[in-house]
Amino acid sequence: QVQLVESGGGLVQAGGSLRLSCVASGSIISINDMGWYRQAPGKERELVARVTSGGRTTYADSVKGRFTISRDNAKNTVYLQMNSLKPEDTAVYYCDAYILSAGWGDDYDYWGQGTQVTVSS
C-alpha cells in the first residue's frame, strides 16, 4: 500500500509565501514523475508543476517565476515553494506521483488527499 500525504497549506495574505510538502510512503520500489495540481471552487483540476526523477521541471504559465517545485529522492518527498501568492492561487492543492510498488508490474499514479491554500487580498 502506498500513501501520499500533503502538508503546509493554510491562509496567507497576498504577496506572502507558503511551502507545501508531500511525502510518499509504503512499499515503494521507485518513484518516477511527481507533481502538484490544484482545483479552485467551480473549476477543473489543473497542473501547477511537475518534476521528473531526473529533476527536469515543468510549470503552468500562471505560476512561472513565482513557484518552485523540487524533490528529495532520499525522503520520497516533493515540495512546492510558493512565493508572491495571489488571491487567484486559492485552491486545494494535490500532489501526485507515479510509483512502482511491490506487487505491481508498472507505475501507478497515486494522489494525495489535498491541502487547502487560501490567499487573502
Side-chain angles (χ1 to χ4, degrees):
Q1 188 73 10
V2 172
Q3 261 192 320
L4 299 183
V5 178
E6 301 109 331
S7 61
L11 173 64
V12 64
Q13 287 189 330
S17 299
L18 284 174
R19 188 193 195 206
L20 306 183
S21 301
C22 174
V23 181
S25 63
S27 303
I28 297 170
I29 296 174
S30 62
I31 302 178
N32 202 336
D33 287 12
M34 305 182 83
W36 288 95
Y37 288 74
R38 67 186 180 186
Q39 187 166 20
K43 295 188 177 181
E44 293 189 353
R45 190 173 297 189
E46 63 175 0
L47 172 69
V48 176
R50 294 198 67 78
V51 58
T52 69
S53 57
R56 189 171 73 249
T57 57
T58 304
Y59 294 94
D61 287 343
S62 59
V63 306
K64 282 180 180 176
R66 300 188 298 124
F67 291 10
T68 302
I69 189 171
S70 61
R71 61 190 286 171
D72 185 333
N73 292 327
K75 296 181 179 180
N76 292 339
T77 300
V78 61
Y79 304 97
L80 185 68
Q81 178 66 44
M82 305 185 294
N83 299 328
S84 302
L85 282 160
K86 304 175 181 180
E88 51 263 44
D89 294 318
T90 295
V92 178
Y93 284 69
Y94 300 89
C95 71
D96 90 302
Y98 282 85
I99 297 173
L100 178 64
S101 61
W104 291 82
D106 202 351
D107 290 358
Y108 183 82
D109 188 14
Y110 291 89
W111 289 82
Q113 81 288 351
T115 185
Q116 177 70 45
V117 171
T118 302
V119 184
S120 63
S121 56

